[in-house]
Amino acid sequence: MAYISYHILQLKVESSGQTIHINHKIPAYLKRCTGFLVKHTKGLKPNAHLPEIGWLNLQFNNLNENAIAAVVACPAHLEVNDCYDFQTLDIQLKPGALLCGIYTDTTPISSFSPYHISVYLRCTSLEKDAYNTNPNADKEQPYSDSFYQEDKLC
Amino acid sequence: MLEAISYIKEQLAQRGIPIALHRFKKVVTRSGQNRYEVPAYNELLFLTNAPELPLRTKIISDTNIIEIGPEHAYSESLEEFSGLVAIVLPNNLTVYPVLEFIQIIL
């Protein structure tokens, strides 16, 4: 059984053309990243849909896996936007590894005002079928797995 | 003084990335052209002469973007680029720089 956790990375863009360097440690209890979603969350209020307000590039596992290269869009102000389609990823996360990357603002200067974007990472905190009834499981499991196993048994 | 090759080898070993080849790569700029593109797919480029580049030179790649500022004047750090690397020079330069990279082919 896998527990799904959503890990959120929030980026604040304060000036036009700004580049934000991302160096973020993903919590060690997260084992696998299975999807991501990038959304503008606050700030811009365009009259029409902006197909591009920036580029995002993210590398997982201490620069080992260049997994995300995405163009970020912004819906028109007051437009109903209930689309939460995660794009699929399948990355085994190393415990405590860094998530690195860049976000570059490309918003047209006429539409720019400071804004926030959020990167939602859909992660699992345990491998599927990680639980078993083997009494020696604690010895065979890494620390975080055994922690959750005890948690569940309680 | 930072020894660039040792640093790169050490860092790539930490990341578990094997090196197929490493060598030097130069991008020579000249008047009349402000933008240069270097395809660096499946390779890494480490910029070694950032302090010698004109202020406001931009280097834009898939994995890193920098703009040369005063903070680079005394910096020994090596910036890493990969993917399509675009070099954009500021206008009205009197001396056109040569950008020097250490190219790592993966």
Side-chain angles (χ1 to χ4, degrees), chain A residues 103-140:
Chain A
Y103 175 76
T104 308
D105 171 69
T106 59
T107 309
I109 194 88
S110 56
S111 308
F112 184 84
S113 62
Y115 64 94
H116 291 202
I117 65 160
S118 294
V119 183
Y120 300 86
L121 297 173
R122 186 179 61 203
C123 301
T124 56
S125 55
L126 272 181
E127 290 295 324
K128 205 171 181 179
D129 303 324
Y131 292 125
N132 60 49
T133 53
N134 180 354
N136 295 322
D138 280 354
K139 292 173 191 166
E140 295 164 5

Side-chain angles (χ1 to χ4, degrees), chain A residues 21 57 62-64 66 104, chain B residues 15 17 61-65:
Chain A
H21 291 259
N57 188 292
N62 297 335
L63 299 170
N64 267 348
N66 192 2
T104 308
Chain B
R15 287 155 61 179
I17 298 175
S61 76
D62 292 356
T63 56
N64 192 11
I65 297 176

Side-chain angles (χ1 to χ4, degrees), chain A residues 13-54:
Chain A
V13 182
E14 291 173 326
S15 59
S16 181
Q18 185 181 354
T19 298
I20 299 173
H21 291 259
I22 301 160
N23 286 292
H24 179 78
K25 194 169 265 196
I26 294 184
Y29 64 86
L30 298 175
K31 297 290 183 184
R32 183 179 285 273
C33 186
T34 59
F36 79 98
L37 174 69
V38 190
K39 284 183 90 72
H40 163 268
T41 46
K42 180 169 133 183
L44 296 178
K45 293 177 180 172
N47 294 325
H49 175 80
L50 289 176
E52 180 185 314
I53 59 168

Side-chain angles (χ1 to χ4, degrees), chain B:
Chain B
M1 170 81 181
L2 179 74
E3 214 283 287
I5 299 284
S6 304
Y7 167 78
I8 291 168
K9 280 185 176 175
E10 180 70 26
Q11 216 223 41
L12 295 185
Q14 287 168 356
R15 287 155 61 179
I17 298 175
I19 300 172
L21 174 69
H22 67 263
R23 61 178 187 173
F24 295 102
K25 185 179 183 81
K26 283 183 183 177
V27 177
V28 180
T29 63
R30 56 182 65 84
S31 63
Q33 188 180 350
N34 272 25
R35 183 185 168 93
Y36 298 81
E37 288 188 350
V38 181
Y41 301 105
N42 292 327
E43 58 185 68
L44 303 172
L45 293 179
F46 288 87
L47 179 68
T48 55
N49 67 337
E52 294 158 30
L53 299 181
L55 291 177
R56 300 191 319 281
T57 299
K58 280 187 180 174
I59 305 179
I60 302 163
S61 76
D62 292 356
T63 56
N64 192 11
I65 297 176
I66 64 163
E67 180 170 344
I68 300 294
E71 72 275 13
H72 289 94
Y74 305 102
S75 173
E76 289 190 358
S77 67
L78 295 171
E79 295 284 350
E80 177 188 323
F81 303 93
S82 186
L84 183 65
V85 181
I87 298 153
V88 183
L89 299 176
N91 293 323
N92 305 322
L93 286 180
T94 49
V95 177
Y96 283 81
V98 176
L99 290 93
E100 293 181 0
F101 296 94
I102 293 175
Q103 179 186 34
I104 307 290
I105 297 176
L106 306 175

